[in-house]
Amino acid sequence: MSESESVLNPPPAAVTVSSEASAIVPQVALKVRRALPFFARHPWVFEGAIHHIKGDPQPGDAVQLRSDRGEFIAWGLFNPDSNIVVRLYSWDEQIPLDETFWSARLDAALSLRRDILGLNDPDGAARLVYSESDGLSGLIVDRYRDWLLVQFTSRALASRQELLVRLLQEKLQPRGIWLRTEKGIREAEGLTLSDGTLTGNAPDRPLFIQEHDVRYGVDIVEGQKTGFFLDQRDNRLLASGVLRGPKVLDLFCYSGGFALNIAKAGHAKDILGVDISESALTMARANAELNGVGPHIRFEKADAFKYIEELVKQGERFNSIILDPPKMARHRKSVPEAIRGYERLNRLAMMLLEPNGLLLTCSCSGHVDQMMFEEMLAAAAAGAGRSVQILERRGPSADHPTAVSCLENHYLKCYLCRLI
Ligand code: SAH
């Protein structure tokens, strides 16, 4: 690939106009008084809102959403096999879902990361497309150096795979595009995708990326999530700036993200990372060596929920603790149980912290909102008998934006707290 046409400097897209607009399009008519969220650009139409369907749309076909009075609302893609029967993309009747449209949507997403956020390090990694947040419900694209990892979370966009992959290839010229499908999505959406190379070469395993001052080996084929927790990028930077040792605990450490940043900043001599996944810890140990901080970090394989209790029993003390557990509330009805889990973890962590200690505590459960999380922190502090100050309320890095029309996508909370 030439210097001027690369992942970072995309060439202008070739544009062809499809006939999707001119064909007679099926229409999905809403029930009375159900149109408001869709006029406000919420992209998910569930079956319960639909009154009837005119025409015979097939899975993946473009449809028009109309109110009970027949007003045009939006263009969407149809999938009768999903809970989300129509996903909406264009709110302008004159702009149908043709190649020009998808190309412009991708350009808008790429421009945010490249031109506004400056996530252009050729050795770096970033989320380039984040589904509803980028007006592309059902598509996730992550860049790891010069490879792309694509995930379809909707059949609607999966049925445009060829087009979208061609556009990504033209715009970014990656060395390869790898397809990965999250567990449960095939069933939820009626998808028949298998993981593998879509274009170019299969990714190196591991693939080495740079983030801040730290290099990481990443396995985008089998690593958790899409191989790396890109959403915590800025929070790892915060940790490297403010968390102090000498003793630091990184619970749920995965491949060492937070621990390595603190070690590399030279702020702690005795860092303990704990995770239940052997493969994550293998990467974490290799990453510590890669960054020359091996002597300052120990990694242990354990169930962190039990391990933290042991640490309290043994009278251990730490100067800083990171808590970054996996998603604990998958559904709205599991929120009370998740809150109890968070409260226990945070209470025990607070008990382990020295006076003036810092706690970086996270939740990636979208169903647990900011208010619930703060009330949980208050209960945990009361249980631990400690005074706790919130210093910062943070979310994911800006390459994981939130569309105000679809707040459901905002899941990550990260709080920096000080214990007195
Ligand atoms: N902080 C990490 C991301 C953590 S993701 C980073 O910056 O990269 C959550 C981690 O929790 C995963 O690595 C997962 O393996 C681990 N995990 C899940 N259940 C666990 C348990 N019961 N005990 C310890 N670790 C667990």
Side-chain angles (χ1 to χ4, degrees):
M1 117 178 87
S2 76
E3 185 90 54
S4 58
E5 291 184 6
S6 68
V7 173
L8 306 174
N9 296 302
V15 165
T16 57
V17 178
S18 92
S19 58
E20 217 157 7
S22 52
I24 297 167
V25 265
Q27 297 190 354
V28 173
L30 292 171
K31 292 178 181 165
V32 186
R33 283 191 297 277
R34 299 304 284 269
L36 207 60
F38 308 113
F39 278 120
R41 303 197 169 200
H42 198 286
W44 302 335
V45 185
F46 292 95
E47 194 180 355
I50 296 173
H51 186 269
H52 67 272
I53 296 171
K54 239 202 276 181
D56 183 24
Q58 298 303 301
D61 280 356
V63 295
Q64 282 190 350
L65 186 73
R66 295 201 168 247
S67 72
D68 63 297
R69 287 186 285 172
E71 301 148 293
F72 171 87
I73 302 174
W75 287 95
L77 296 180
F78 184 68
N79 182 5
D81 302 325
S82 165
N83 286 333
I84 305 173
V85 179
V86 185
R87 289 176 192 257
L88 303 176
Y89 299 93
S90 163
W91 277 263
D92 184 334
E93 192 167 1
Q94 306 311 316
I95 303 183
L97 308 182
D98 57 16
E99 180 166 341
T100 312
F101 171 82
W102 298 117
S103 178
R105 271 293 147 92
L106 286 176
D107 285 341
L110 300 180
S111 163
L112 168 66
R113 283 71 181 181
R114 186 189 56 227
D115 307 327
I116 298 177
L117 303 177
L119 291 168
N120 296 330
D121 178 356
D123 289 330
R127 175 148 295 186
L128 300 183
V129 177
Y130 182 33
S131 202
E132 290 78 15
S133 302
D134 285 299
L136 287 164
S137 177
L139 177 69
I140 288 173
V141 182
D142 288 344
R143 173 176 77 84
Y144 286 92
R145 244 182 44 209
D146 38 12
W147 270 277
L148 298 182
L149 185 146
V150 168
Q151 277 192 328
F152 289 104
T153 58
S154 77
R155 177 152 154 197
L157 284 191
S159 68
R160 293 186 174 41
Q161 176 182 312
E162 233 180 84
L163 169 66
L164 293 166
V165 167
R166 176 164 58 73
L167 289 172
L168 286 168
Q169 184 69 37
E170 283 169 11
K171 290 174 192 298
L172 296 168
Q173 319 251 317
R175 266 170 76 182
I177 302 183
W178 182 263
L179 174 73
R180 213 178 138 158
T181 306
E182 211 179 290
K183 258 193 278 167
I185 295 288
R186 289 185 182 84
E187 298 71 23
E189 287 281 317
L191 276 174
T192 50
L193 293 175
S194 40
D195 292 6
T197 307
L198 295 175
T199 64
N201 302 331
D204 294 346
R205 296 181 64 187
L207 204 156
F208 291 97
I209 61 159
Q210 178 84 25
E211 184 196 81
H212 314 310
D213 261 353
V214 181
R215 277 176 74 70
Y216 298 89
V218 177
D219 181 3
I220 70 172
V221 174
E222 279 182 6
Q224 291 187 41
K225 206 172 182 199
T226 60
F228 197 63
F229 290 83
L230 296 169
D231 50 357
Q232 292 279 30
R233 180 191 312 107
D234 294 354
N235 297 326
R236 285 189 283 265
L237 186 63
L238 171 79
S240 78
V242 300
L243 296 196
R244 291 282 183 281
K247 288 185 72 178
V248 173
L249 175 63
D250 182 1
L251 269 195
F252 309 95
C253 64
Y254 189 53
S255 58
F258 283 99
L260 288 164
N261 270 280
I262 297 165
K264 202 74 201 276
H267 292 329
K269 297 273 171 263
D270 182 5
I271 304 175
L272 172 60
V274 180
D275 203 281
I276 204 164
S277 155
E278 189 64 56
S279 55
L281 291 174
T282 304
M283 284 193 284
R285 291 190 184 104
N287 287 335
E289 291 308 315
L290 183 68
N291 289 279
V293 293
H296 301 305
I297 311 189
R298 287 176 293 141
F299 290 104
E300 291 214 18
K301 178 173 188 283
D303 179 340
F305 294 93
K306 294 188 185 138
Y307 192 86
I308 190 169
E309 209 164 79
E310 282 307 306
L311 291 172
V312 171
K313 274 192 200 143
Q314 288 160 14
E316 286 280 351
R317 287 288 177 273
F318 295 89
N319 306 93
S320 299
I321 298 180
I322 299 111
L323 284 182
D324 187 14
K327 192 193 267 188
M328 298 196 352
R330 301 212 162 263
H331 318 280
R332 199 167 291 279
K333 59 179 190 296
S334 53
V335 166
E337 197 190 330
I339 297 274
R340 282 195 292 278
Y342 284 120
E343 186 183 323
R344 182 176 162 276
L345 264 184
N346 280 274
R347 174 170 43 81
L348 295 171
M350 289 171 185
M351 290 166 73
L352 286 172
L353 279 161
E354 296 278 18
N356 227 6
L358 293 175
L359 173 65
L360 193 76
T361 178
C362 311
S363 160
C364 55
S365 305
H367 294 296
V368 174
D369 65 24
Q370 188 164 313
M371 188 60 92
M372 293 177 199
F373 195 74
E374 292 182 17
E375 284 168 359
M376 175 283 292
L377 284 176
R386 301 291 297 266
S387 296
V388 178
Q389 297 168 310
I390 294 173
L391 307 184
E392 279 201 44
R393 299 172 165 88
R394 300 166 65 96
S397 313
D399 54 340
H400 296 63
T402 308
V404 292
S405 56
C406 188
L407 297 174
E408 290 89 332
N409 268 15
H410 182 72
Y411 61 98
L412 183 65
K413 289 154 292 294
C414 175
Y415 279 67
L416 177 66
C417 301
R418 172 189 177 232
L419 277 84
I420 298 172

